[in-house]
Amino acid sequence: MEQQRGSFTGKLGFVLAAAGSAVGLGNLWRFPYLAAKYGGGIFLLVYLILAVSFGFALMITEIALGRKTRLSAIGAYEALNRKFRFLGYLSCVVPFIITPYYCVIGGWVLKYLTVFVTNQVSEAAADDFFTNFITQPGAPVVFFLIYVLLGVVVVRFGVEKGIEKASRIMMPILIVMTVFIAIFSMMQPGAMEGVKYYLMPDFSRFNATTVLAAMGQLFYSMSLAMGIMITYGSYMKKEANLEQSVRQIELFDTGIAFMAGLMIIPAVFAFSGGSEEALGKGPSLMFITLPKVFDSMKFGTVVGAVFFLLVLFAALTSSISLTETLVSIVSDKFGWTRKKSCAVILIFLVAVGIPVSLGFGVWSFIAPFGMSLLDFFDFISNSVLMPIVAFLTCVFVGYVVKAKAIIEEVEINGAFKFKKFYTVMIKYIAPVCLVAILIFAIMEAMGVITV
Ligand code: PFF
């Protein structure tokens, strides 16, 4: 099957496809709640520094590995060195952990879309609306199931192209709307405090948790350290400029995350005060804050409905790329048909997603390390597994296949402007920092145990 790899067409084809996978709930839902929780400006600054250093080096590496070998993760590592075959498998574990809970949140987005379409904005703006919703045993599970089914059906019938086309129209509209909502948020009384909080780094709040959280977010948002970008790279044409494409994807992804923060954080100050409690809401932040913004807007119902529809599309393109990855992993591994693989993945997603969804209500007694099941999966994938995969990838490239091999691949098309920086990053800086971060993550988790 590897023989007949298709390629992305057109100059922008690759960038848009990779951006479709990258831009999703990570930017709109996850980034703002982390920024709010971890000190605003300082988190933003750390994130930006990591994006242009780590993010850049890792994305170049993964895409080049894919383009060089023309294989997806498992095959790519193995083709370059048999001993590193395990790394391909390890990176494939990550999407198995992420996808079920991604779909639970997709279900929440779907619920909010129906809330706005049925004109219940003021109800949704009430303080306990969201908590009441996610703690129910029935509704969140139903929305999750609809969302999962939607994704799997798309993958089963291979109509991703249709969704991708639609999202190419939706994505620019989403950007315009995010800017519009951000401006509206910033104009609310009291919001300026939030703008300051978000844009002015408070260095006294800098600590290892900030770096760990920002690093995990970077992997998540840019779809790194899970084999996905290797697969995308395997479809990339040799004529395309790799370095430039990576910069474009990063700019796109980071730009949207930045705007999402500007849309949500000032609103937290305007509507709920800037208390630690309001800012530390975690995964629920977007769902609590945005309805308040829409409720105070003139045509808030319509704006809210369109907004959640666009978020739904961004989420769908990402979760479809995740589901597609899972389906191809099992069908390649076990030689199953697409139909059978889709059925098995559907069962898997439902079996894992239901406890995640119920974990906020009737099954809240399942709380590993004192976290909700969703937070637990999020922590294991973003703060533990992804740094491990990223570290091993750096070792693999820096010392086994050598940075030179990646540089040569990048230079097939034009000069690699930052190649010295890239080499130092991949051989020394990234691995050392990743180990430090990993040790910290484990210590933190142990700290959670003893709390
Ligand atoms: N990068 C996506 C987001 O930020 O929402 C999440 C994701 C999608 C990760 C697809 C991996 C992937 F294959």
Side-chain angles (χ1 to χ4, degrees), residues 53 61 66 314 367:
S53 52
T61 302

Side-chain angles (χ1 to χ4, degrees), residues 21-22 24-27 102 220-223 226 228 318 321-322:
S21 162
L25 293 171
N27 312 61
Y102 203 91
Y220 188 95
S221 186
M222 295 187 181
S223 309
M226 49 184 123
I228 307 262
S318 293
S321 115
L322 281 164

Side-chain angles (χ1 to χ4, degrees), residues 19-30 95 98 102 217 219-224 226 228-229 232 253 314-315 317-323 325 386:
S21 162
V23 176
L25 293 171
N27 312 61
L28 299 158
W29 157 80
R30 202 170 184 278
I98 290 185
Y102 203 91
Q217 171 61 16
F219 295 144
Y220 188 95
S221 186
M222 295 187 181
S223 309
L224 293 171
M226 49 184 123
I228 307 262
M229 282 298 155
Y232 275 86
D253 191 71
T317 48
S318 293
S319 57
I320 286 168
S321 115
L322 281 164
T323 308
T325 309
M386 290 179 182

Side-chain angles (χ1 to χ4, degrees), residues 423-440:
T423 312
V424 174
M425 198 66 214
I426 213 82
K427 279 182 83 164
Y428 308 108
I429 303 179
V432 170
C433 294
L434 282 163
V435 168
I437 279 171
L438 204 61
I439 293 173
F440 179 79

Side-chain angles (χ1 to χ4, degrees), residues 6-278:
S7 305
F8 293 110
T9 47
K11 234 184 178 175
L12 266 180
F14 172 76
V15 172
L16 285 177
S21 162
V23 176
L25 293 171
N27 312 61
L28 299 158
W29 157 80
R30 202 170 184 278
F31 182 85
Y33 89 66
L34 288 176
K37 191 168 166 182
Y38 293 109
I42 190 70
F43 180 88
L44 181 63
L45 182 67
V46 171
Y47 184 85
L48 293 177
I49 293 172
L50 292 178
V52 295
S53 52
F54 271 71
F56 173 76
L58 264 175
M59 196 180 285
I60 291 251
T61 302
E62 292 201 5
I63 296 177
L65 280 177
R67 193 171 78 169
K68 189 176 174 60
T69 56
R70 289 266 174 251
L71 295 168
S72 47
I74 297 180
Y77 287 109
E78 190 183 3
L80 294 169
N81 189 308
R82 276 198 69 81
K83 283 202 195 113
F84 276 79
R85 184 173 147 171
F86 76 95
L87 189 50
Y89 283 105
L90 194 62
S91 63
C92 289
V93 175
V94 179
F96 278 94
I97 301 177
I98 290 185
T99 318
Y101 84 75
Y102 203 91
C103 293
V104 170
I105 300 151
W108 298 350
V109 173
L110 201 58
K111 158 76 182 178
Y112 271 67
L113 175 61
T114 63
V115 165
F116 279 84
V117 168
T118 54
N119 201 5
Q120 306 169 52
V121 188
S122 40
E123 285 90 330
D127 273 333
D128 46 5
F129 181 85
F130 180 73
T131 316
N132 285 345
F133 165 64
I134 55 165
T135 49
Q136 284 168 27
V141 175
V142 172
F143 281 103
F144 156 72
L145 290 175
I146 300 173
Y147 184 90
V148 169
L149 214 59
L150 210 63
V152 175
V153 165
V154 168
V155 172
R156 163 70 184 88
F157 294 100
V159 287
E160 295 97 320
K161 288 275 165 296
I163 299 282
E164 242 167 55
K165 265 206 194 117
S167 88
R168 276 180 204 184
I169 304 164
M170 304 288 231
M171 203 98 96
I173 309 177
L174 177 68
I175 297 174
V176 174
M177 274 202 82
T178 317
V179 174
F180 167 75
I181 298 167
I183 294 172
F184 185 85
S185 277
M186 287 190 287
M187 279 165 31
Q188 299 308 303
M192 269 307 138
E193 275 308 303
V195 177
K196 254 202 242 153
Y197 177 77
Y198 184 48
L199 298 181
M200 308 237 285
D202 171 2
F203 288 94
S204 70
R205 294 208 47 177
F206 177 83
N207 58 37
T209 317
T210 323
V211 185
L212 177 65
M215 177 77 84
Q217 171 61 16
L218 181 77
F219 295 144
Y220 188 95
S221 186
M222 295 187 181
S223 309
L224 293 171
M226 49 184 123
I228 307 262
M229 282 298 155
I230 301 186
T231 309
Y232 275 86
S234 72
Y235 294 111
M236 188 187 199
K237 282 191 180 153
K238 294 275 183 197
E239 302 89 68
N241 187 321
L242 211 152
E243 190 183 9
Q244 191 189 7
S245 303
V246 167
R247 264 191 262 126
Q248 286 169 348
I249 300 166
E250 284 208 321
L251 194 68
F252 211 49
D253 191 71
T254 310
I256 294 189
F258 174 76
M259 286 315 299
L262 211 49
M263 172 173 82
I264 291 175
I265 295 176
V268 178
F269 279 75
F271 295 107
S272 317
S275 67
E276 285 290 317
E277 200 220 330

Side-chain angles (χ1 to χ4, degrees), residues 187-403:
M187 279 165 31
Q188 299 308 303
M192 269 307 138
E193 275 308 303
V195 177
K196 254 202 242 153
Y197 177 77
Y198 184 48
L199 298 181
M200 308 237 285
D202 171 2
F203 288 94
S204 70
R205 294 208 47 177
F206 177 83
N207 58 37
T209 317
T210 323
V211 185
L212 177 65
M215 177 77 84
Q217 171 61 16
L218 181 77
F219 295 144
Y220 188 95
S221 186
M222 295 187 181
S223 309
L224 293 171
M226 49 184 123
I228 307 262
M229 282 298 155
I230 301 186
T231 309
Y232 275 86
S234 72
Y235 294 111
M236 188 187 199
K237 282 191 180 153
K238 294 275 183 197
E239 302 89 68
N241 187 321
L242 211 152
E243 190 183 9
Q244 191 189 7
S245 303
V246 167
R247 264 191 262 126
Q248 286 169 348
I249 300 166
E250 284 208 321
L251 194 68
F252 211 49
D253 191 71
T254 310
I256 294 189
F258 174 76
M259 286 315 299
L262 211 49
M263 172 173 82
I264 291 175
I265 295 176
V268 178
F269 279 75
F271 295 107
S272 317
S275 67
E276 285 290 317
E277 200 220 330
L279 289 165
K281 286 272 187 254
S284 55
L285 190 67
M286 166 174 138
F287 298 95
I288 293 177
T289 308
L290 283 181
K292 293 186 200 292
V293 176
F294 295 132
D295 191 37
S296 62
M297 233 182 225
K298 229 188 175 155
F299 298 100
T301 311
V302 181
V303 177
V306 174
F307 178 77
F308 278 105
L309 181 70
L310 298 168
V311 176
L312 184 69
F313 258 85
L316 267 177
T317 48
S318 293
S319 57
I320 286 168
S321 115
L322 281 164
T323 308
E324 175 70 45
T325 309
L326 301 183
V327 167
S328 60
I329 290 172
V330 296
S331 70
D332 284 358
K333 178 79 200 140
F334 302 108
W336 293 341
T337 60
R338 194 171 178 83
K339 190 171 160 193
K340 180 166 175 191
S341 308
C342 283
V344 171
I345 292 301
L346 178 63
I347 294 168
F348 165 77
L349 292 177
V350 170
V352 182
I354 288 181
V356 170
S357 180
L358 293 178
F360 292 99
V362 287
W363 284 5
S364 57
F365 57 86
I366 313 177
F369 298 104
M371 303 178 207
S372 70
L373 209 48
L374 189 149
D375 282 324
F376 175 69
F377 283 140
D378 193 77
F379 176 77
I380 290 293
S381 53
N382 293 280
S383 301
V384 182
L385 271 175
M386 290 179 182
I388 295 179
V389 172
F391 167 73
L392 291 171
T393 305
C394 291
V395 172
F396 178 65
V397 169
Y399 301 94
V400 181
V401 295
K402 304 276 182 334

